[in-house]
Amino acid sequence: MTPFGEMTEEDFDDMMGHDELTLDGYQEKATEFAIYHGSLLYPTLGLAGEAGEVSEKVKKLFRDDEVNFMADNLTDEIEYEKARAIALECGDVLWYLANIANDLGYSLEEIADMNIAKLTDRKYRNTIHGSGDTR
């Protein structure tokens, strides 16, 4: 098999296998790789950096590739390798998020449940649109 960064689409799909992995299962595995000292500061700063890397790759699609970001299905708009590169950066975002959650004593599934409850409440109260944490 080729090195991870040089895999073909088929190699990558074969390796992934898409086993059912829960958010908590991911968090358990991801936090095994946390080698930083202390808590919260390092993964929070890392999250900001990785989110910036995702944004940079999307910015370059806008600048260089004339992607129609209004399309209903962007899979037809973005080349596989560029989409994969963004997905890999999203994985780094997820790793940092998992470690932040762990450092705070929450599971990713608890955070996901809390977020869905918040969004459901906003939808019920017709406050999805707008701004502010407590709308």
Side-chain angles (χ1 to χ4, degrees), residues 31-56:
T31 55
E32 291 176 11
F33 299 98
I35 58 171
Y36 57 89
H37 299 288
S39 63
L40 198 55
L41 181 61
Y42 176 81
T44 301
L45 295 174
L47 175 63
E50 293 299 337
E53 290 186 37
V54 171
S55 298
E56 280 292 312

Side-chain angles (χ1 to χ4, degrees), residues 10-69:
E10 293 79 24
D11 289 339
F12 182 74
D13 289 342
D14 288 346
M15 181 190 80
M16 294 309 296
H18 294 291
D19 292 336
E20 294 296 320
L21 181 63
T22 65
L23 288 172
D24 287 352
Y26 172 82
Q27 183 176 4
E28 184 178 329
K29 290 179 180 187
T31 55
E32 291 176 11
F33 299 98
I35 58 171
Y36 57 89
H37 299 288
S39 63
L40 198 55
L41 181 61
Y42 176 81
T44 301
L45 295 174
L47 175 63
E50 293 299 337
E53 290 186 37
V54 171
S55 298
E56 280 292 312
K57 291 190 181 311
V58 172
K59 176 197 76 176
K60 290 176 183 174
L61 289 175
F62 177 74
R63 181 191 68 195
D64 300 337
D65 295 6
E66 299 180 18
V67 169
N68 176 9
F69 287 99

Side-chain angles (χ1 to χ4, degrees), residues 1 14 21 25 30 32 47 49 63 65 67 71-72 77 82 110 119 121 124-125 130 132 135:
M1 185 173 288
D14 288 346
L21 181 63
E32 291 176 11
L47 175 63
R63 181 191 68 195
D65 295 6
V67 169
D72 288 335
E77 295 284 324
K82 292 180 181 183
E110 288 173 317
L119 293 172
D121 178 61
Y124 176 76
R125 294 182 296 109
R135 63 178 183 268

